[in-house]
Amino acid sequence: MSYFDAASAVPLHPVARQALLASLDEGWADPARLHREGRRARLLLDAAREAAAEAVGCRADELVFTPSGTRAVHSGVAGALAGRRRVGRHLIVSAVEHSSVLHAADVHEGDGGTVTQVPVDRTGTVDPAAYAAALRDDTALACLQSANHEVGTEQPVAAVAEACRAAGVPLLVDAAQSLGWGRVPGDWSLLAASAHKWGGPSGVGLLVVRKGVRFAPQGPGDERESGRMPGFENLPAIVAAAASLRAVRAEAAEEAARLRELTERIRARVPALVPDVEVVGDPVRRLPGVVTFSCLYVDGETLLHELDRAGFSVSSGSSCTSSTLTPSHVLRAMGVLSEGNVRVSLPPGTPAEDVERFLEVLPGTVAAVREKLGAPVAAGAVRDAGAGLVVDAIGRRCPIPVIELAKVIGDVPVGGTVRVLSDDEAARLDIPAWCEMRGQEYVGEEPADRGTAYVVRRSD
């Protein structure tokens, strides 16, 4: 089985395993106690904090360990907002942040705060000028991920941090996806990360709050972790997390170059091997091991199951794989095709032959899924002299509305229109994306008695 879902979790690094087992024997005592066992545990905790701080590029007393990366984000956002409450209650986030950041923003907004969501372009990149324009006198905090978890796009953190610093606003960086590859550039103020993203054990995160940043921890107080994170530290996991971060950093430059070559191979060959595919994300400024593409006329959940049966563990942002039946918020914000979405994220050490086998298997797998779906007979399609061709796809989920559209576009003359009736939220994203890929004109949406009418004009 080839595991290609490292953006979700990286397999435990051998150094992490060794450190975890060793510290289970040495680090079980309470590091706050003064007896011999407690002092031994304190030495391990201090050494782990020093190692993690060196990797981040901060002071050891600026870093605390948390039970997860999500907890680090939530605590960082809440503490920074509370610490600057006198300034105002305005929060800035990007449209493609991890759900942990967006959920924290929702809570803030529900509590009476205001939130500005900065858009991204089709590569998933924010414009630093847009962040600068969003800054206000009452802005308490800005948040920006260092790299996107779904498409791998790296963000211009340094430029955004400079704009925030000039305005006196702290910037919180979610560095979960990138910290294993290197330090986050720029004059940021807060940083959150998660050990299972770089090969450490799950259940360990870290939060950095730079000196001088106003920060008020929320919730009941605790003397542990500088009063910022209550509860007994999971010392063996913390030691393993710090040890593995140091280890992966030592290997990062060489491994990044190798994985970039493999993902470049996927980016170049998938469109050549599989028709009607859109590769998404920035082609240059991206994480070494992540490549994402979407396939027209493909059910994402079925494709993932078939690839799993073929021996490949991948992920997807397609609405078809979600219980909400809505596309990934990242793909939606980018305005790219969402149906048949596949995220390949290679863990360090991935053999080149595994990638070659994936490229051999993928074309036949996609073709089989398309054949299984069929191009359904557009039984709901009717001609109307005044409205061109109408395709009734009400009640049909992705990718059926687009398949129906593709089947009938040739039945109207150049300049004629097709109206696709759909009640699937994914159609709002996938029909315009299909038009861009196939050189057709997307006219826009119209109200309909049932669902929404998406109007397409034939261009050739």
Side-chain angles (χ1 to χ4, degrees):
M1 193 75 181
S2 297
Y3 180 76
F4 287 177
D5 195 20
S8 295
V10 175
L12 196 66
H13 193 282
V15 168
R17 186 182 301 277
Q18 295 168 5
L20 181 65
L21 293 175
S23 56
L24 284 172
D25 292 329
E26 297 293 326
W28 52 267
D30 186 347
R33 300 293 172 243
L34 298 179
H35 46 60
R36 179 181 302 171
E37 292 83 0
R39 294 197 305 272
R40 184 183 299 132
R42 169 57 63 179
L43 287 174
L44 288 173
L45 180 59
D46 289 346
R49 197 183 316 278
E50 289 282 353
E54 180 184 4
V56 171
C58 67
R59 293 170 40 155
D61 59 356
E62 294 174 328
L63 185 149
V64 299
F65 293 105
T66 67
S68 67
T70 294
R71 182 66 182 275
V73 165
H74 290 172
S75 299
V77 171
L81 288 173
R84 286 175 49 83
R85 193 180 182 105
R86 290 185 180 180
V87 173
R89 305 203 62 203
H90 179 229
L91 171 66
I92 302 173
V93 301
S94 84
V96 294
E97 293 300 311
H98 188 270
S99 59
S100 61
V101 174
L102 298 183
H103 291 161
D106 289 342
V107 169
H108 176 63
E109 197 167 29
D111 192 38
T114 58
V115 178
T116 295
Q117 197 170 97
V118 178
V120 297
D121 62 19
R122 282 185 65 85
T123 70
T125 307
V126 302
D127 182 355
Y131 258 83
L135 292 165
R136 308 185 325 206
D137 291 340
D138 65 338
T139 302
L141 177 67
C143 300
L144 179 64
Q145 58 189 194
S146 56
N148 187 258
H149 49 292
E150 289 195 27
V151 299
T153 297
E154 294 178 334
Q155 299 292 0
V157 172
V160 171
E162 183 178 356
C164 290
R165 179 69 62 177
V169 174
L171 176 69
L172 185 152
V173 177
D174 172 12
Q177 291 295 335
S178 72
L179 192 59
W181 298 110
R183 291 181 178 180
V184 176
D187 198 8
W188 46 265
S189 303
L190 301 97
L191 180 143
S194 187
H196 73 278
K197 300 290 189 179
W198 67 66
S202 59
V204 179
L206 57 84
L207 172 64
V208 178
V209 181
R210 295 284 201 190
K211 291 295 182 182
V213 175
R214 292 182 180 178
F215 190 86
Q218 299 300 285
D222 195 307
E223 71 277 5
R224 297 181 184 275
E225 291 301 293
S226 304
R228 292 177 179 167
M229 195 55 52
F232 199 103
E233 299 92 346
N234 184 351
L235 188 53
I238 287 172
V239 170
S244 58
L245 181 56
R246 175 179 287 179
V248 299
R249 280 292 190 80
E251 307 159 353
E254 182 178 353
E255 189 62 16
R258 196 181 71 84
L259 290 185
R260 283 191 189 281
E261 191 280 327
L262 294 179
T263 53
E264 282 293 346
R265 195 180 304 179
I266 296 172
R267 287 182 67 89
R269 290 179 58 186
V270 165
L273 293 168
V274 182
D276 298 314
V277 164
E278 181 179 17
V279 181
V280 301
D282 194 290
V284 178
R285 290 179 54 86
R286 59 184 176 82
L287 292 168
V290 178
V291 57
T292 305
F293 54 89
S294 299
C295 309
L296 275 174
Y297 321 133
V298 169
D299 179 301
E301 184 172 10
T302 302
L303 180 56
L304 259 61
H305 285 317
E306 292 302 317
L307 287 172
D308 184 66
R309 289 177 59 187
F312 298 96
S313 301
V314 298
S315 184
S316 172
S318 289
S319 60
C320 315
T321 63
S322 168
S323 60
T324 63
L325 294 177
T326 58
S328 144
H329 72 278
V330 172
L331 301 178
R332 188 168 62 245
M334 294 167 62
V336 296
L337 183 69
S338 73
E339 66 185 48
N341 179 260
V342 175
R343 180 187 68 184
V344 175
S345 48
L346 307 177
T350 298
E353 51 266 30
D354 283 8
V355 171
E356 286 300 318
R357 190 168 67 86
F358 175 77
L359 291 170
E360 292 174 2
V361 166
L362 182 67
T365 304
V366 173
V369 171
R370 285 172 172 165
E371 182 178 2
K372 184 181 297 184
L373 282 173
V377 175
V382 296
R383 291 191 179 277
D384 184 296
L389 190 67
V390 177
V391 173
D392 187 347
I394 296 292
R396 304 183 184 187
R397 301 302 176 190
C398 71
I400 301 302
V402 178
I403 290 177
E404 298 275 14
L405 169 62
K407 286 191 66 181
V408 303
I409 190 70
D411 293 343
V412 299
V414 174
T417 60
V418 176
R419 282 169 171 77
V420 182
L421 300 178
S422 177
D423 54 358
D424 183 3
E425 181 65 25
R428 180 167 283 112
L429 184 63
D430 290 347
I431 290 176
W434 177 88
C435 290
E436 182 163 331
M437 293 175 69
R438 304 310 292 266
Q440 306 298 338
E441 179 187 353
Y442 179 64
V443 178
E445 299 179 19
E446 292 180 353
D449 293 337
R450 296 178 301 147
T452 301
Y454 299 93
V455 184
V456 176
R457 179 174 289 113
R458 183 181 175 188
S459 298
D460 57 15

